[in-house]
Amino acid sequence: MFIGIFVSLMVVWAIVNATRFGWDPYPFILLNLFLSMLAGLQGAILLIAAKRQDAISAALAQHDFETDAAAKDEIEELMAINRRQLTLIQLLISDRPPEARR
């Protein structure tokens, strides 16, 4: 919607100023000045938005790192429990008589 209105206004500006009643003759110096100022403002706004997005991305990355570290600790704990269980099972198997090992 905004782009359509913006392009329409630029076309109207060019048509009106191409006639002899225009206030900004053909090279459209005033229009170029307005467009340059608009580009300068857009650049600043885009940089601000990019900086905000970088801050959000950094916070998400930190959260992901903390989640991964916590998951690693939990997995290591579960693996230690699993090793203890396997050791106990081996001890139980070795203590049983040979005919009961089947």
Side-chain angles (χ1 to χ4, degrees):
M1 178 82 172
F2 172 77
I3 294 173
I5 292 171
F6 186 74
V7 170
S8 299
L9 287 174
M10 289 194 43
V11 168
V12 168
W13 180 287
I15 291 171
V16 168
N17 284 298
T19 64
R20 62 185 172 120
F21 300 111
W23 59 90
D24 189 20
Y26 166 65
F28 306 128
I29 302 298
L30 187 60
L31 178 62
N32 285 326
L33 174 66
F34 289 151
L35 292 176
S36 297
M37 288 189 300
L38 179 65
L41 290 173
Q42 281 178 325
I45 291 170
L46 289 174
L47 287 174
I48 291 168
K51 186 175 181 181
R52 184 177 300 143
Q53 187 61 40
D54 287 344
I56 292 170
S57 296
L60 288 174
Q62 181 65 30
H63 181 275
D64 287 346
F65 174 77
E66 291 168 357
T67 302
D68 291 347
K72 179 181 178 267
D73 292 341
E74 290 176 4
I75 289 171
E76 287 174 352
E77 183 180 346
L78 290 173
M79 290 301 294
I81 291 170
N82 190 17
R83 281 188 210 98
R84 278 184 268 151
Q85 288 176 344
L86 288 173
T87 303
L88 290 172
I89 290 172
Q90 289 297 327
L91 286 172
L92 288 173
I93 290 174
S94 65
D95 289 344
R96 291 174 33 190
E99 62 275 354
R101 289 184 189 169
R102 290 185 174 173

